[in-house]
Amino acid sequence: QLQLVESGGGLVQPGGSLRLSCVASGRTLDYVGISWFRQAPGKAREGISAISSNSDGKTYYVPSVKGRFTVSRDNAKSTVYLQMNNLKPEDTAVYYCAGILGGLATLYDEYEYDAWGQGTQVTVSN
């Protein structure tokens, strides 16, 4: 059974960078699409990025993070990364990764994912 654990969150100043990791256990990441979501205080959880399970490595970003965030995967390490650059206060949220077998570079409805991580807090502030 697929299990996911995020790490790498923390406090960073505006304009700074963080790299989040999503480590899989229970099975390899082969054939697993990974999406990143975030939930800011008082707001609904929103999907922000996805990487395909296919070897084509296709990715997807919502406009608010495109050009600043980069998602990548290392199947040998069972890890997906979210590199976040030029962070803004509005990026403050709990960040989650979610996995879906056979997933493509798109965001799915939350109930469709096979596994979720527990979340990692990202705070962007002076």
Side-chain angles (χ1 to χ4, degrees):
Q1 183 177 356
L2 178 65
Q3 294 179 316
L4 302 172
V5 177
E6 305 95 338
S7 63
L11 173 64
V12 63
Q13 293 184 340
S17 299
L18 283 174
R19 188 178 77 162
L20 305 184
S21 298
C22 173
V23 179
S25 62
R27 61 156 291 150
T28 68
L29 274 181
D30 295 348
Y31 311 116
V32 179
I34 295 290
S35 299
W36 286 93
F37 289 76
R38 66 185 181 185
Q39 187 168 22
K43 294 187 177 181
R45 188 156 57 185
E46 63 169 344
I48 58 172
S49 181
I51 187 165
S52 173
S53 60
N54 295 336
S55 58
D56 59 16
K58 287 186 176 180
T59 57
Y60 169 79
Y61 304 93
V62 296
S64 60
V65 306
K66 193 171 185 178
R68 300 188 298 123
F69 291 10
T70 303
V71 59
S72 61
R73 63 191 299 148
D74 185 341
N75 284 357
K77 295 183 178 180
S78 295
T79 302
V80 171
Y81 303 99
L82 184 68
Q83 177 67 43
M84 306 186 296
N85 298 329
N86 191 22
L87 283 162
K88 304 176 181 180
E90 52 263 42
D91 295 317
T92 295
V94 178
Y95 283 70
Y96 302 87
C97 61
I100 180 168
L101 294 177
L104 302 177
T106 188
L107 296 169
Y108 296 87
D109 290 335
E110 292 188 14
Y111 72 88
E112 297 184 86
Y113 288 90
D114 299 297
W116 288 81
Q118 83 290 350
T120 185
Q121 176 71 47
V122 172
T123 303
V124 185
S125 175
N126 286 311

